[in-house]
Amino acid sequence: KAGVTQTPRYLIKTRGQQVTLSCSPISGHRSVSWYQQTPGQGLQFLFEYFSETQRNKGNFPGRFSGRQFSNSRSEMNVSTLELGDSALYLCASREGRDQPQHFGDGTRLSIL
Amino acid sequence: AQSVAQPEDQVNVAEGNPLTVKCTYSVSGNPYLFWYVQYPNRGLQFLLKYITGDNLVKGSYGFEAEFNKSQTSFHLKKPSALVSDSALYFCAVRDKTDKLIFGTGTRLQVFP
């Protein structure tokens, strides 16, 4: 099976812009989670989607949003970008509640 | 609140020697624990998990972890380290809302 695919791998934006990141989960996985990884804050949970519904949400401002489509693919949107949004954004999918999450290679977002 | 601590920022070990990467946790209820590894410019790779059962869990690439309830620890071990094991290792616990809480990571450096 193909792994979790995230596009694009690298992205450069300027402050105030918005960005959309994409994630295709492993085939058959209906749960998709997003994480932000920074040197200062480490790995932080953003949200989780299951069957097109947000099931869980981390402690991030409303500028961070996401959605999931009927084929389980997910997108994450960040509006009004700030310098502090520079990070590696990781997507993960899992088959079931007791199964491990499998991660993509991430999208590295740089804000100038 | 659920939390995970990785007390060592870096662990250095000679190739062929055993390695241990430490993790302690704080949870209410039964812990669901995970170890992941991250190589440069890559996402997280799942190594092993503990949900219930034997305290010694065997995982990928020769890694294992020992669950110790009395010491609230879940240390990662490998009998003989390889240079290719050099990477960033994360311990994680699943909290009561079903999201993963990660430790700050431990950089493992294996010297030839």
Side-chain angles (χ1 to χ4, degrees), chain A residues 37 56 94 97-98 101, chain B residues 36 38 49 94 97-98:
Chain A
Q37 185 177 22
N56 216 337
R94 59 175 168 165
R97 189 168 183 266
D98 287 347
Q101 296 194 3
Chain B
Y36 285 85
Q38 186 177 33
K49 67 177 180 179
R94 196 175 81 188
T97 67
D98 203 26

Side-chain angles (χ1 to χ4, degrees), chain A residues 16-105:
Chain A
Q17 288 186 309
Q18 74 164 20
V19 68
T20 299
L21 312 181
S22 181
C23 172
S24 293
I26 292 172
S27 177
H29 290 194
R30 290 173 23 191
S31 165
V32 174
S33 297
W34 289 87
Y35 294 84
Q36 182 196 63
Q37 185 177 22
T38 60
Q41 300 298 317
L43 278 156
Q44 293 187 284
F45 172 79
L46 280 154
F47 26 67
E48 180 189 12
Y49 286 86
F50 181 83
S51 292
E52 302 179 66
T53 301
Q54 188 180 86
R55 185 157 72 173
N56 216 337
K57 190 176 188 305
N59 190 25
F60 277 80
R63 300 186 296 108
F64 292 81
S65 63
R67 60 177 175 169
Q68 187 180 33
F69 302 94
S70 58
N71 62 359
S72 294
R73 192 176 70 83
S74 177
E75 287 182 348
M76 191 191 96
N77 186 275
V78 188
S79 63
T80 319
L81 287 165
E82 301 177 359
L83 291 177
D85 297 333
S86 294
L88 180 66
Y89 290 89
L90 293 165
C91 170
S93 71
R94 59 175 168 165
E95 193 170 4
R97 189 168 183 266
D98 287 347
Q99 299 304 313
Q101 296 194 3
H102 296 274
F103 286 78
D105 284 336

Side-chain angles (χ1 to χ4, degrees), chain B residues 33-78:
Chain B
L33 296 158
F34 303 82
W35 274 104
Y36 285 85
V37 60
Q38 186 177 33
Y39 293 96
N41 298 315
R42 301 297 302 274
L44 277 65
Q45 282 180 241
F46 168 71
L47 285 177
L48 49 80
K49 67 177 180 179
Y50 173 84
I51 293 179
T52 187
D54 289 341
N55 289 343
L56 186 64
V57 180
K58 293 195 182 296
S60 305
Y61 313 117
F63 284 94
E64 57 190 28
E66 187 169 10
F67 172 69
N68 187 315
K69 189 172 183 177
S70 62
Q71 296 185 5
T72 62
S73 67
F74 188 56
H75 299 334
L76 182 70
K77 299 173 187 282
K78 188 174 183 182

